[in-house]
Amino acid sequence: MHLENCRMNMACIGDVDPFTAAIPATKVELSVCCRNLLDRDTFSKSDPSKFLSPHTCKKLNTHPHFGRTEVIDNTLNPDFVRKFILDYFFEERQNLLGSLGSRLEKPLIGIPGRKCGTIIVRAEELSNCRESVMLQFCGNKLDKKDFFGKSDPFLVFYRSNEDGSYTICHKTEVVKNTLDPVWQAFKIPVRALCNGDYDRSIKVEVYDWDRDGGHDFIGEFSTSYREMSRSQSQFHIYEVISFTHTRAHTHTHTQTFIFLLFLGPTSLHYMSPYQLNDYAMALRAVGEIIQDYDSDKMFPALGFGAKLPPDGRVSHEFALNGNPQNPYCNGIEGVLEAYYQSLKSVRLYGPTHFSPVINHVARYASAVTDGSQYFILLIISDGVITDMAQTKESIVNAASLPMSIIIVGVGPAEFDEMIELDGDEERISSQGRYAERDIVQFVPFRDYIDRRGNHILSMARLAKEVLAEIPDQFLSYMRTRGIKPGPLPPPYTPCPPPHLNTTATAIIH
């Protein structure tokens, strides 16, 4: 396919980096679709794909490819998701699109005397937006389209154009034989969804997949990037609208469609491809030190403040790895992996309750009071504590057990309640009872972040501060119980340190 005799006037030059680019350029995205293609298959429809080559190479009689689209099975009207990204240099003559709406429609030429179909190419100058977002959707009681089974639904996402048309930007996988699908979370550039315009309309269509390519339309709904970004603390429910036409009437049907997950750059849980988020940095900074004192390095990892699939039940004490019977993770890397996977399956939800996880660890600690094990609970949270009275009571009860609590506050919130729990200035109390000893250490992560962006140094500073009180807390428990170190080992035999059973709790809230 060649783009000929067209011209596009660029609205801006683009950013110039004197260290990486000698010539100012901007990026242009080309989207391709076809209509009424000539069917070249005998027993099914064609499986089309397209490639792009520059018109400037015609005089060389060569056709180097800029790229190739995906292959779409069994269709004569393909909308290709894969785009072509070109550099546009403002001071050079380049043949691009300059027609109304930056849209070019031309007949395909291939077989003499036969209509081969039409190709449509749309060009849009890309913004400088470099953000990505993680999204996840599920459906509930979708329309049944298959005669012998349920439906095989999938989603198609479109971004709107200035002329009111839409350009396809993403397709999900097909979930087979269900009316209540849960699609996998997917990461997509914000530029692909809305080209950096947060209020631009995004249309989502729902289809029932058919092997012959004649996918049945189930329904559609519209949203925007800004609307989705407001849903970080709760489920967002859309109504999928579909239409049934009869001779006399057009019937409208609505179905429930639930938006599960939004993780954007403004979220503290946002997973950047370039660096760890604050939760992950806190886990690694503290965990990589305390794991050396754990003999088996298997850590139960819990989360709270989330709605769990499939029914949206709110939980303040759930296994990050999804296995409540065995919440243990292999090392801190295993905890991080469980944390990342949980972000794809649960929906962050308030309020913030600390007492359930404190009581969870206290139950284990109460069973081992002979000094052979010592438990450390690491809590990472970004919010205000909403069960303060219950949390104080839990800490007072836990102060007589072989355990310590480390609380790391992430994000810009005020942490007055967490500072109160620290107990450095005044011993914590509940209903007239004072904690037997100080077992809580709280630090706000922001106070230890290196301003030059050195994350290794940030983690080292955090680890030093949060672990500073653990040795004294450990010794205070042993001394008040009269627990003394065991006999010296035989010569040249290493003596294992006391077992610190560490529960690394990633707070997903």
PDB file of all heavy atoms in Angstrom, residues 90-114:
ATOM      1  N   PHE A  90       9.432  18.783   9.785  1.00  0.00           N
ATOM      2  CA  PHE A  90       8.688  19.938   9.300  1.00  0.00           C
ATOM      3  C   PHE A  90       9.367  20.640   8.132  1.00  0.00           C
ATOM      4  O   PHE A  90       8.729  21.316   7.343  1.00  0.00           O
ATOM      5  CB  PHE A  90       8.465  20.940  10.444  1.00  0.00           C
ATOM      6  CG  PHE A  90       9.688  21.724  10.828  1.00  0.00           C
ATOM      7  CD1 PHE A  90       9.896  23.003  10.333  1.00  0.00           C
ATOM      8  CD2 PHE A  90      10.625  21.192  11.685  1.00  0.00           C
ATOM      9  CE1 PHE A  90      11.023  23.723  10.691  1.00  0.00           C
ATOM     10  CE2 PHE A  90      11.755  21.911  12.041  1.00  0.00           C
ATOM     11  CZ  PHE A  90      11.954  23.175  11.545  1.00  0.00           C
ATOM     12  N   GLU A  91      10.691  20.492   7.990  1.00  0.00           N
ATOM     13  CA  GLU A  91      11.384  21.241   6.947  1.00  0.00           C
ATOM     14  C   GLU A  91      11.561  20.418   5.670  1.00  0.00           C
ATOM     15  O   GLU A  91      12.133  20.887   4.696  1.00  0.00           O
ATOM     16  CB  GLU A  91      12.761  21.704   7.469  1.00  0.00           C
ATOM     17  CG  GLU A  91      13.867  20.655   7.451  1.00  0.00           C
ATOM     18  CD  GLU A  91      13.613  19.503   8.412  1.00  0.00           C
ATOM     19  OE1 GLU A  91      12.726  19.617   9.264  1.00  0.00           O
ATOM     20  OE2 GLU A  91      14.288  18.484   8.278  1.00  0.00           O
ATOM     21  N   GLU A  92      11.050  19.183   5.651  1.00  0.00           N
ATOM     22  CA  GLU A  92      11.164  18.341   4.466  1.00  0.00           C
ATOM     23  C   GLU A  92       9.787  18.157   3.828  1.00  0.00           C
ATOM     24  O   GLU A  92       8.764  18.202   4.494  1.00  0.00           O
ATOM     25  CB  GLU A  92      11.728  16.970   4.829  1.00  0.00           C
ATOM     26  CG  GLU A  92      13.151  16.990   5.357  1.00  0.00           C
ATOM     27  CD  GLU A  92      13.650  15.597   5.663  1.00  0.00           C
ATOM     28  OE1 GLU A  92      12.939  14.628   5.315  1.00  0.00           O
ATOM     29  OE2 GLU A  92      14.745  15.475   6.234  1.00  0.00           O
ATOM     30  N   ARG A  93       9.807  17.925   2.515  1.00  0.00           N
ATOM     31  CA  ARG A  93       8.555  17.612   1.832  1.00  0.00           C
ATOM     32  C   ARG A  93       8.282  16.126   2.007  1.00  0.00           C
ATOM     33  O   ARG A  93       9.071  15.283   1.594  1.00  0.00           O
ATOM     34  CB  ARG A  93       8.646  17.950   0.339  1.00  0.00           C
ATOM     35  CG  ARG A  93       7.374  17.604  -0.439  1.00  0.00           C
ATOM     36  CD  ARG A  93       7.485  17.985  -1.893  1.00  0.00           C
ATOM     37  NE  ARG A  93       6.301  17.606  -2.629  1.00  0.00           N
ATOM     38  CZ  ARG A  93       5.186  18.310  -2.678  1.00  0.00           C
ATOM     39  NH1 ARG A  93       5.107  19.448  -2.032  1.00  0.00           N
ATOM     40  NH2 ARG A  93       4.139  17.892  -3.372  1.00  0.00           N
ATOM     41  N   GLN A  94       7.148  15.816   2.623  1.00  0.00           N
ATOM     42  CA  GLN A  94       6.773  14.430   2.842  1.00  0.00           C
ATOM     43  C   GLN A  94       5.328  14.226   2.423  1.00  0.00           C
ATOM     44  O   GLN A  94       4.457  15.063   2.701  1.00  0.00           O
ATOM     45  CB  GLN A  94       6.925  14.047   4.323  1.00  0.00           C
ATOM     46  CG  GLN A  94       8.380  13.979   4.785  1.00  0.00           C
ATOM     47  CD  GLN A  94       8.446  13.702   6.272  1.00  0.00           C
ATOM     48  OE1 GLN A  94       8.569  14.612   7.068  1.00  0.00           O
ATOM     49  NE2 GLN A  94       8.353  12.436   6.636  1.00  0.00           N
ATOM     50  N   ASN A  95       5.049  13.133   1.785  1.00  0.00           N
ATOM     51  CA  ASN A  95       3.710  12.831   1.316  1.00  0.00           C
ATOM     52  C   ASN A  95       2.928  12.123   2.414  1.00  0.00           C
ATOM     53  O   ASN A  95       3.068  10.932   2.634  1.00  0.00           O
ATOM     54  CB  ASN A  95       3.768  11.949   0.060  1.00  0.00           C
ATOM     55  CG  ASN A  95       4.372  12.705  -1.110  1.00  0.00           C
ATOM     56  OD1 ASN A  95       4.108  13.890  -1.276  1.00  0.00           O
ATOM     57  ND2 ASN A  95       5.170  12.031  -1.908  1.00  0.00           N
ATOM     58  N   LEU A  96       2.082  12.906   3.101  1.00  0.00           N
ATOM     59  CA  LEU A  96       1.217  12.354   4.135  1.00  0.00           C
ATOM     60  C   LEU A  96      -0.219  12.790   3.836  1.00  0.00           C
ATOM     61  O   LEU A  96      -0.520  13.263   2.752  1.00  0.00           O
ATOM     62  CB  LEU A  96       1.671  12.828   5.521  1.00  0.00           C
ATOM     63  CG  LEU A  96       2.947  12.154   6.057  1.00  0.00           C
ATOM     64  CD1 LEU A  96       3.388  12.846   7.340  1.00  0.00           C
ATOM     65  CD2 LEU A  96       2.728  10.682   6.306  1.00  0.00           C
ATOM     66  N   LEU A  97      -1.091  12.621   4.814  1.00  0.00           N
ATOM     67  CA  LEU A  97      -2.502  12.885   4.571  1.00  0.00           C
ATOM     68  C   LEU A  97      -2.831  14.337   4.836  1.00  0.00           C
ATOM     69  O   LEU A  97      -2.469  14.888   5.860  1.00  0.00           O
ATOM     70  CB  LEU A  97      -3.360  12.003   5.473  1.00  0.00           C
ATOM     71  CG  LEU A  97      -3.120  10.489   5.337  1.00  0.00           C
ATOM     72  CD1 LEU A  97      -4.077   9.749   6.220  1.00  0.00           C
ATOM     73  CD2 LEU A  97      -3.242  10.057   3.899  1.00  0.00           C
ATOM     74  N   GLY A  98      -3.603  14.952   3.947  1.00  0.00           N
ATOM     75  CA  GLY A  98      -4.011  16.329   4.148  1.00  0.00           C
ATOM     76  C   GLY A  98      -5.458  16.546   3.787  1.00  0.00           C
ATOM     77  O   GLY A  98      -5.919  17.667   3.713  1.00  0.00           O
ATOM     78  N   SER A  99      -6.214  15.481   3.570  1.00  0.00           N
ATOM     79  CA  SER A  99      -7.625  15.614   3.231  1.00  0.00           C
ATOM     80  C   SER A  99      -8.425  15.915   4.480  1.00  0.00           C
ATOM     81  O   SER A  99      -7.906  15.943   5.591  1.00  0.00           O
ATOM     82  CB  SER A  99      -8.116  14.316   2.576  1.00  0.00           C
ATOM     83  OG  SER A  99      -7.872  13.221   3.432  1.00  0.00           O
ATOM     84  N   LEU A 100      -9.713  16.160   4.313  1.00  0.00           N
ATOM     85  CA  LEU A 100     -10.591  16.522   5.413  1.00  0.00           C
ATOM     86  C   LEU A 100     -10.540  15.445   6.499  1.00  0.00           C
ATOM     87  O   LEU A 100     -10.744  14.265   6.223  1.00  0.00           O
ATOM     88  CB  LEU A 100     -12.024  16.692   4.901  1.00  0.00           C
ATOM     89  CG  LEU A 100     -13.072  17.114   5.947  1.00  0.00           C
ATOM     90  CD1 LEU A 100     -12.720  18.481   6.507  1.00  0.00           C
ATOM     91  CD2 LEU A 100     -14.464  17.090   5.327  1.00  0.00           C
ATOM     92  N   GLY A 101     -10.249  15.871   7.718  1.00  0.00           N
ATOM     93  CA  GLY A 101     -10.159  14.930   8.825  1.00  0.00           C
ATOM     94  C   GLY A 101      -8.925  14.070   8.781  1.00  0.00           C
ATOM     95  O   GLY A 101      -8.835  13.076   9.488  1.00  0.00           O
ATOM     96  N   SER A 102      -7.941  14.452   7.953  1.00  0.00           N
ATOM     97  CA  SER A 102      -6.716  13.654   7.786  1.00  0.00           C
ATOM     98  C   SER A 102      -7.071  12.200   7.487  1.00  0.00           C
ATOM     99  O   SER A 102      -6.499  11.273   8.047  1.00  0.00           O
ATOM    100  CB  SER A 102      -5.843  13.760   9.046  1.00  0.00           C
ATOM    101  OG  SER A 102      -5.405  15.081   9.225  1.00  0.00           O
ATOM    102  N   ARG A 103      -7.998  12.025   6.565  1.00  0.00           N
ATOM    103  CA  ARG A 103      -8.504  10.692   6.230  1.00  0.00           C
ATOM    104  C   ARG A 103      -8.396  10.469   4.730  1.00  0.00           C
ATOM    105  O   ARG A 103      -8.783  11.331   3.935  1.00  0.00           O
ATOM    106  CB  ARG A 103      -9.966  10.576   6.677  1.00  0.00           C
ATOM    107  CG  ARG A 103     -10.640   9.238   6.389  1.00  0.00           C
ATOM    108  CD  ARG A 103     -12.081   9.283   6.892  1.00  0.00           C
ATOM    109  NE  ARG A 103     -12.792   8.032   6.676  1.00  0.00           N
ATOM    110  CZ  ARG A 103     -13.418   7.701   5.555  1.00  0.00           C
ATOM    111  NH1 ARG A 103     -13.414   8.551   4.520  1.00  0.00           N
ATOM    112  NH2 ARG A 103     -14.043   6.540   5.439  1.00  0.00           N
ATOM    113  N   LEU A 104      -7.846   9.341   4.354  1.00  0.00           N
ATOM    114  CA  LEU A 104      -7.689   9.000   2.936  1.00  0.00           C
ATOM    115  C   LEU A 104      -8.422   7.699   2.654  1.00  0.00           C
ATOM    116  O   LEU A 104      -8.242   6.709   3.360  1.00  0.00           O
ATOM    117  CB  LEU A 104      -6.210   8.840   2.595  1.00  0.00           C
ATOM    118  CG  LEU A 104      -5.895   8.282   1.201  1.00  0.00           C
ATOM    119  CD1 LEU A 104      -6.295   9.279   0.129  1.00  0.00           C
ATOM    120  CD2 LEU A 104      -4.425   7.929   1.083  1.00  0.00           C
ATOM    121  N   GLU A 105      -9.266   7.707   1.638  1.00  0.00           N
ATOM    122  CA  GLU A 105      -9.978   6.498   1.217  1.00  0.00           C
ATOM    123  C   GLU A 105      -9.698   6.267  -0.261  1.00  0.00           C
ATOM    124  O   GLU A 105      -9.937   7.135  -1.092  1.00  0.00           O
ATOM    125  CB  GLU A 105     -11.482   6.644   1.474  1.00  0.00           C
ATOM    126  CG  GLU A 105     -12.284   5.409   1.083  1.00  0.00           C
ATOM    127  CD  GLU A 105     -13.738   5.513   1.495  1.00  0.00           C
ATOM    128  OE1 GLU A 105     -14.035   6.294   2.424  1.00  0.00           O
ATOM    129  OE2 GLU A 105     -14.573   4.805   0.890  1.00  0.00           O
ATOM    130  N   LYS A 106      -9.195   5.066  -0.597  1.00  0.00           N
ATOM    131  CA  LYS A 106      -8.846   4.763  -1.982  1.00  0.00           C
ATOM    132  C   LYS A 106      -9.207   3.324  -2.312  1.00  0.00           C
ATOM    133  O   LYS A 106      -9.161   2.443  -1.441  1.00  0.00           O
ATOM    134  CB  LYS A 106      -7.351   4.979  -2.211  1.00  0.00           C
ATOM    135  CG  LYS A 106      -6.961   6.439  -2.407  1.00  0.00           C
ATOM    136  CD  LYS A 106      -5.595   6.546  -3.066  1.00  0.00           C
ATOM    137  CE  LYS A 106      -5.321   7.958  -3.517  1.00  0.00           C
ATOM    138  NZ  LYS A 106      -4.084   8.050  -4.310  1.00  0.00           N
ATOM    139  N   PRO A 107      -9.530   3.079  -3.584  1.00  0.00           N
ATOM    140  CA  PRO A 107      -9.800   1.696  -3.987  1.00  0.00           C
ATOM    141  C   PRO A 107      -8.495   0.897  -4.067  1.00  0.00           C
ATOM    142  O   PRO A 107      -7.441   1.429  -4.403  1.00  0.00           O
ATOM    143  CB  PRO A 107     -10.436   1.854  -5.374  1.00  0.00           C
ATOM    144  CG  PRO A 107      -9.898   3.163  -5.880  1.00  0.00           C
ATOM    145  CD  PRO A 107      -9.756   4.032  -4.668  1.00  0.00           C
ATOM    146  N   LEU A 108      -8.581  -0.362  -3.723  1.00  0.00           N
ATOM    147  CA  LEU A 108      -7.432  -1.253  -3.835  1.00  0.00           C
ATOM    148  C   LEU A 108      -7.356  -1.799  -5.258  1.00  0.00           C
ATOM    149  O   LEU A 108      -8.372  -2.142  -5.868  1.00  0.00           O
ATOM    150  CB  LEU A 108      -7.550  -2.408  -2.843  1.00  0.00           C
ATOM    151  CG  LEU A 108      -7.403  -2.032  -1.366  1.00  0.00           C
ATOM    152  CD1 LEU A 108      -7.797  -3.218  -0.489  1.00  0.00           C
ATOM    153  CD2 LEU A 108      -5.981  -1.603  -1.070  1.00  0.00           C
ATOM    154  N   ILE A 109      -6.147  -1.849  -5.777  1.00  0.00           N
ATOM    155  CA  ILE A 109      -5.915  -2.329  -7.142  1.00  0.00           C
ATOM    156  C   ILE A 109      -5.106  -3.616  -7.054  1.00  0.00           C
ATOM    157  O   ILE A 109      -4.067  -3.664  -6.411  1.00  0.00           O
ATOM    158  CB  ILE A 109      -5.154  -1.282  -7.973  1.00  0.00           C
ATOM    159  CG1 ILE A 109      -5.956   0.015  -8.035  1.00  0.00           C
ATOM    160  CG2 ILE A 109      -4.861  -1.807  -9.373  1.00  0.00           C
ATOM    161  CD1 ILE A 109      -5.209   1.159  -8.685  1.00  0.00           C
ATOM    162  N   GLY A 110      -5.590  -4.653  -7.672  1.00  0.00           N
ATOM    163  CA  GLY A 110      -4.856  -5.905  -7.606  1.00  0.00           C
ATOM    164  C   GLY A 110      -5.163  -6.816  -8.771  1.00  0.00           C
ATOM    165  O   GLY A 110      -4.286  -7.261  -9.495  1.00  0.00           O
ATOM    166  N   ILE A 111      -6.454  -7.097  -9.006  1.00  0.00           N
ATOM    167  CA  ILE A 111      -6.870  -8.014 -10.063  1.00  0.00           C
ATOM    168  C   ILE A 111      -7.646  -7.212 -11.112  1.00  0.00           C
ATOM    169  O   ILE A 111      -8.685  -6.614 -10.793  1.00  0.00           O
ATOM    170  CB  ILE A 111      -7.746  -9.146  -9.496  1.00  0.00           C
ATOM    171  CG1 ILE A 111      -6.964  -9.922  -8.427  1.00  0.00           C
ATOM    172  CG2 ILE A 111      -8.218 -10.072 -10.600  1.00  0.00           C
ATOM    173  CD1 ILE A 111      -7.785 -11.002  -7.760  1.00  0.00           C
ATOM    174  N   PRO A 112      -7.162  -7.177 -12.352  1.00  0.00           N
ATOM    175  CA  PRO A 112      -7.843  -6.389 -13.392  1.00  0.00           C
ATOM    176  C   PRO A 112      -9.295  -6.816 -13.570  1.00  0.00           C
ATOM    177  O   PRO A 112      -9.606  -8.013 -13.617  1.00  0.00           O
ATOM    178  CB  PRO A 112      -7.016  -6.675 -14.657  1.00  0.00           C
ATOM    179  CG  PRO A 112      -5.663  -7.071 -14.134  1.00  0.00           C
ATOM    180  CD  PRO A 112      -5.921  -7.805 -12.856  1.00  0.00           C
ATOM    181  N   GLY A 113     -10.164  -5.825 -13.620  1.00  0.00           N
ATOM    182  CA  GLY A 113     -11.572  -6.096 -13.846  1.00  0.00           C
ATOM    183  C   GLY A 113     -12.345  -6.517 -12.618  1.00  0.00           C
ATOM    184  O   GLY A 113     -13.548  -6.761 -12.710  1.00  0.00           O
ATOM    185  N   ARG A 114     -11.691  -6.607 -11.474  1.00  0.00           N
ATOM    186  CA  ARG A 114     -12.372  -7.010 -10.236  1.00  0.00           C
ATOM    187  C   ARG A 114     -12.305  -5.883  -9.211  1.00  0.00           C
ATOM    188  O   ARG A 114     -11.301  -5.185  -9.104  1.00  0.00           O
ATOM    189  CB  ARG A 114     -11.710  -8.265  -9.639  1.00  0.00           C
ATOM    190  CG  ARG A 114     -11.704  -9.479 -10.556  1.00  0.00           C
ATOM    191  CD  ARG A 114     -13.107 -10.091 -10.675  1.00  0.00           C
ATOM    192  NE  ARG A 114     -13.615 -10.513  -9.381  1.00  0.00           N
ATOM    193  CZ  ARG A 114     -13.351 -11.707  -8.826  1.00  0.00           C
ATOM    194  NH1 ARG A 114     -12.536 -12.572  -9.452  1.00  0.00           N
ATOM    195  NH2 ARG A 114     -13.883 -12.035  -7.668  1.00  0.00           N
TER     196      ARG A 114
END
